[in-house]
Amino acid sequence: MPFTCITLTTMTENGDATPLVSLVGVNKHFGALHVLKNIDLTVDRGEVLVVIGPSGGGKSTLCRTINRLETIDEGQIIFDGTPLPEEGRALARLRSEVGMVFQSFNLFAHKTILGNVTLGPMKVRKKARKEASTRAMELLDRVGIANQADKYPAQLSGGQQQRVAIARALAMDPKLILFDEPTSALDPEMVQEVLDVMIGLARDGMTMVVVTHEMGFARRAANRVVFMADGQIIEQNTPDEFFTNARTDRARDFLSKILTH
Amino acid sequence: MDELIEYAPDLLAGFAENLKLSAVCGVLSLIFGTILVGIRVSPTPVLRAAGTAYVNIARNTPLTLVLAFSSLGLSDQIGLIFSDEPSTNGFWLVVLGLTAYTSTFVCESLRSGINTVPFGQAEAARAIGLTFLQSLSLIILPQAFRAVIAPLGNVMIAMIKNTTVAIAAGYLADVAFVMKDTFDTTGVSIPIFLGIVVAFMVVVLPIGFLTGWLAKRLAVAR
Ligand SMILES: Nc1ncnc2c1ncn2[C@@H]1O[C@H](COP(=O)(O)OP(=O)(O)O)[C@@H](O)[C@H]1O
Ligand SMILES: [Mg+2]
């Protein structure tokens, strides 16, 4: 069954209706493995897109092509009106506008929490230390970690580290944040504190692409759910429709597995 | 014992040369070793290949040959002259050869340090928009250094001991040369021998302790 395309155009304050990200005919191989098969996808400004699907389906790879942590073999990715730069300074600048939150946090282990959040603004945006610190403390306060600013990542719990990672991404004032299974490495009792921060961001109008199996988050915060398997987008829909009325067998089968477990 | 006391001033002057060489080569090898490792992990294949070739050649050549090459090859044949004063020229030829050699060991220690830094650190660095050189200098190398402080200490210790082959570059002033020179007049003297051993131990042992202590103190918690 061919997938149906549903466009949920979210107009932002500035009224710009062109998509923030669009992928057109994107193909990607890892050797003989075809991980992204003819992907067409747009992300509108202010939209929260949840990507869901079985492990190995290509969700992380899809996410990582958007800031070119993975290159693509074919097709085009347009971010904010321009094709992704291939390399060099232009690519670094693009990446500074796209935040990324990893499953394993990846906080800079030799830097304090504050140092993690101020590094990008100081070294990439060339802001003064004082200005960067003030802003960093605001963001750390927002994610509830301000009182840990002088500690090192290893001294924090997973949930705290992930909230710092979100603050680090926010410090760059990104136009988009990519989340690749941000709660999958967390102990169950820490999942909600991270999701709460993400829901807050979604409410504030941040454009987000979130790979996650957290249905609660998808229902509360997502505008659209994209179901991916075997390197293809199998179907996409609003969260309510997708979770209650999935159209494809693949999706229904997948949902029955994550629901019963 | 008498010979040791009698020749102590000469021997100490010689040993001071070893310390001078050690200080200069130590600083320069750390700098060039760091540049070299940057080349070895650079995204440009040609640079990487050149770095690998250099490291493998310099590291696997006996040091006496490296020094002889820097003196007989580079200086006498090609005409690389640091100074008209022969002893100053000799000093810098030793520095050149010993640094060229020791840098490769610094480089390889750092490279094994880079391998201890989780891949996610570099990805996070790139993801916030740091360039390759920024990621390397701000994120990867600071963590790599801390992981290999003890091995780097060993490289420095080996380098200090290696200053005693300065004679191979025609530099006739270090303690090993003074010792040999003294033996030529007095005959072999066990006390002089032991005196030099003690002098090296006084310098080298604290470095071992210090780097061992720093390695623990500066270890990156993950
Ligand atoms: N760097 C890589 N090299 C080779 N194969 C990879 C690499 N990254 C991912 N893959 C493979 O690509 C497929 C898709 O992976 P991924 O995008 O991580 O899926 P998901 O995030 O949906 O679990 C998997 O089969 C995975 O093993
Ligand atoms: Mg994944």
Side-chain angles (χ1 to χ4, degrees):
Chain A
M1 177 180 159
F3 63 82
T4 329
C5 210
I6 297 195
T7 337
L8 296 163
T9 314
T10 339
M11 300 281 280
T12 49
E13 305 87 72
N14 60 15
D16 191 348
T18 60
L20 181 62
V21 186
S22 62
L23 288 84
V24 186
V26 169
N27 280 285
K28 162 93 186 165
H29 298 79
F30 281 121
L33 189 67
H34 198 172
V35 275
L36 295 180
K37 298 175 185 161
N38 256 316
I39 301 286
D40 291 312
L41 181 72
T42 60
V43 185
D44 289 316
R45 292 163 201 275
E47 186 177 19
V48 176
L49 187 80
V50 158
V51 182
I52 196 168
S55 173
K59 306 180 299 296
S60 297
T61 308
L62 176 75
C63 224
R64 294 159 55 84
T65 58
I66 298 176
N67 66 353
R68 215 175 151 83
L69 281 182
E70 298 288 356
T71 56
I72 58 175
D73 303 331
E74 234 178 80
Q76 207 183 20
I77 301 178
I78 296 175
F79 178 79
D80 203 14
T82 31
L84 293 193
E86 301 250 310
E87 54 181 30
R89 293 203 164 267
L91 178 58
R93 195 169 326 112
L94 170 272
R95 285 183 178 144
S96 74
E97 297 184 341
V98 179
M100 181 142 198
V101 174
F102 301 86
Q103 180 174 346
S104 49
F105 331 131
N106 296 349
L107 293 181
F108 304 131
H110 64 308
K111 296 263 175 204
T112 62
I113 298 310
L114 184 65
N116 266 272
V117 183
T118 55
L119 186 91
M122 286 168 58
K123 300 296 175 181
V124 178
R125 299 261 192 265
K126 313 290 180 199
K127 284 195 187 162
R129 177 181 297 278
K130 196 149 176 283
E131 188 191 351
S133 298
T134 310
R135 171 90 171 115
M137 289 309 295
E138 280 167 25
L139 291 168
L140 286 172
D141 194 41
R142 176 170 174 185
V143 300
I145 317 275
N147 56 348
Q148 322 266 10
D150 296 328
K151 291 194 178 166
Y152 285 86
Q155 296 172 283
L156 267 55
S157 73
Q160 291 173 322
Q161 290 190 55
Q162 196 60 300
R163 284 183 282 150
V164 174
I166 294 173
R168 178 174 68 180
L170 288 173
M172 302 302 289
D173 295 317
K175 294 177 177 158
L176 164 74
I177 305 185
L178 306 167
F179 293 83
D180 188 4
E181 305 212 27
T183 57
S184 301
L186 298 177
D187 292 336
E189 73 272 20
M190 293 170 189
V191 169
Q192 199 56 44
E193 67 192 48
V194 172
L195 292 179
D196 286 342
V197 170
M198 292 168 59
I199 290 168
L201 286 181
R203 297 254 152 88
D204 291 348
M206 177 58 74
T207 312
M208 298 160 62
V209 172
V210 186
V211 178
T212 186
H213 292 164
E214 295 290 336
M215 281 199 288
F217 172 80
R219 282 177 179 278
R220 285 181 65 190
N223 301 98
R224 186 159 46 125
V225 173
V226 167
F227 177 70
M228 235 188 132
D230 294 332
Q232 285 172 300
I233 294 179
I234 307 287
E235 71 173 274
Q236 43 183 322
N237 213 328
T238 59
D240 280 344
E241 272 299 305
F242 179 76
F243 290 119
T244 52
N245 267 323
R247 287 186 302 263
T248 57
D249 289 342
R250 276 307 295 267
R252 277 194 296 271
D253 182 48
F254 174 75
L255 286 172
S256 71
K257 278 181 193 139
I258 62 168
L259 285 172
T260 51
H261 115 107
Chain B
M1 201 62 203
D2 292 347
E3 319 85 87
L4 178 58
I5 293 163
E6 187 186 340
Y7 289 96
D10 289 352
L11 290 165
L12 279 173
F15 190 62
E17 292 304 312
N18 294 78
L19 294 184
K20 256 164 56 191
L21 285 170
S22 301
V24 176
C25 290
V27 171
L28 292 180
S29 319
L30 285 174
I31 294 171
F32 287 113
T34 306
I35 294 172
L36 210 46
V37 81
I39 291 172
R40 280 213 76 177
V41 300
S42 89
T44 316
V46 178
L47 275 182
R48 264 202 319 269
T52 306
Y54 173 76
V55 166
N56 283 327
I57 292 168
R59 199 166 60 125
N60 293 308
T61 306
L63 178 60
T64 46
L65 279 188
V66 175
L67 291 176
F69 177 74
S70 111
S71 153
L72 302 173
L74 292 180
S75 197
D76 295 354
Q77 292 295 314
I78 300 174
L80 177 71
I81 311 278
F82 289 99
S83 165
D84 291 336
E85 175 63 43
S87 75
T88 313
N89 195 42
F91 179 88
W92 288 104
L93 287 173
V94 177
V95 168
L96 177 71
L98 191 51
T99 299
Y101 179 80
T102 308
S103 301
T104 64
F105 291 88
V106 170
C107 167
E108 291 306 272
S109 291
L110 283 175
R111 209 161 62 91
S112 69
I114 288 177
N115 290 335
T116 70
V117 180
F119 191 63
Q121 296 284 305
E123 289 218 310
R126 281 192 284 158
I128 60 169
L130 296 180
T131 60
F132 169 76
L133 277 181
Q134 285 179 318
S135 305
L136 192 67
S137 62
L138 298 169
I139 307 298
I140 308 301
L141 282 177
Q143 296 186 49
F145 260 111
R146 290 164 195 229
V148 295
I149 290 173
L152 277 180
N154 291 336
V155 169
M156 289 299 121
I157 287 170
M159 182 271 299
I160 292 169
K161 294 188 286 187
N162 282 340
T163 56
T164 53
V165 297
I167 195 169
Y171 184 57
L172 310 179
D174 92 298
V175 73
F177 171 79
V178 176
M179 175 187 82
K180 215 175 131 296
D181 204 34
T182 309
F183 288 175
D184 284 346
T185 46
T186 64
V188 172
S189 151
I190 299 290
I192 286 181
F193 226 75
L194 293 179
I196 295 173
V197 170
V198 169
F200 272 96
M201 285 188 26
V202 165
V203 174
V204 159
L205 282 180
I207 291 179
F209 289 128
L210 182 74
T211 51
W213 177 76
L214 275 178
K216 281 202 202 85
R217 229 186 99 89
L218 297 179
V220 176
R222 300 208 186 272

